[in-house]
Structures are given as structure tokens and as C-alpha cells.
Amino acid sequence: MATDAWEVVRDRFVRLFGRDVEQTTVIETRLDKARAEIVAVDGPRRDEVVDAQQRVWEAELVSELVARPAVATPLGEWAAQVTAMLSARPDVTVHQHASATGNARQVVQGQGSQTISFGGPGDADSPR
């Protein structure tokens, strides 16, 4: 729930288990609330919240599968797609060693993109 894949997972879950407009809205609201609880905490407490949400949604899935066994096949296919999507994310380890002397400057970034400008009109020594 706290990954970039969340929107895809959420929408597919709602399509699989939302039987009508009202139930779809209820599921969307519950999922959004669960995600908000996870995103709102950091550190060891986050693991506790994730575990609690995992238990809630596992029970929800079991209940749905008992009530609607025909959903098992599309759920299995969906789970395989999500697993592939999450495992396709690069696991990056970055090691950097940098030194600067004199008036040199450094910018260190392990991943992603960044735009840096050093100096500017009237402030040649300050990074922007």
C-alpha cells in the first residue's frame, strides 16, 4: 500500500471485489483509509501498522474467496502480475566516495534525478 504500484493494485482489487457501485465505494474508502494509516507512520511502528492491515485484508480476501470461488483464478493471475511488477523495480545499491578541495563543490545523489545550479548573479559562492 505504500509503494508506487498502489494505484494499479487498488483499482484492480476494486474491480475484482466491487459487486456494485455502493460496495465499490466502500472498498475504495476502506483501502484509502488503510493506506493513509500506513503512510502516516515511520520506523518500527510502521511495521506494526503494515502487519495489522495485512491481517485485515488477508481475512477480507479469504471471506471473498469463500463467498465467490470464481474470483480465485483472476485473483491468482492478478497476484502474479503484481509480484512481477514489484520485483521488476530495481534494487539499487550505491557506493560513493567524493572529495573536494579549494573552491570545488559536490552534489551527491544515489538515485533519481536532480537539477543543481551553483552560484548566480550577485551570489557567486552560494549554491541554489
Side-chain angles (χ1 to χ4, degrees):
M1 288 182 161
T3 69
D4 294 338
W6 170 243
E7 293 298 323
V8 173
V9 171
R10 176 188 177 272
D11 292 347
R12 183 64 186 263
F13 187 90
V14 169
R15 280 198 311 271
L16 279 173
F17 295 105
R19 295 181 191 134
D20 55 41
V21 174
E22 183 179 336
Q23 186 182 30
T24 297
T25 302
V26 169
I27 292 171
E28 288 174 339
T29 301
R30 288 183 59 211
L31 286 168
D32 289 342
K33 182 180 175 189
R35 181 177 191 273
E37 287 179 18
I38 291 170
V39 172
V41 295
D42 284 329
R45 173 88 174 100
R46 185 175 189 160
D47 292 339
E48 294 171 17
V49 174
V50 168
D51 289 345
Q53 286 298 334
Q54 183 175 345
R55 286 189 300 275
V56 167
W57 289 100
E58 283 175 355
E60 186 79 24
L61 281 171
V62 168
S63 176
E64 283 294 324
L65 288 171
V66 168
R68 299 171 57 203
V71 177
T73 299
L75 178 62
E77 293 167 355
W78 172 60
Q81 291 169 353
V82 170
T83 300
M85 181 173 40
L86 292 174
S87 66
R89 294 181 356 183
D91 185 17
V92 177
T93 301
V94 177
H95 299 277
Q96 297 180 340
H97 304 278
S99 62
T101 60
N103 290 327
R105 298 207 172 113
Q106 300 177 42
V107 175
V108 180
Q109 180 168 341
Q111 190 174 354
S113 62
Q114 172 176 326
T115 303
I116 300 293
S117 298
F118 288 102
D123 192 13
D125 293 330
S126 297
R128 291 187 289 155

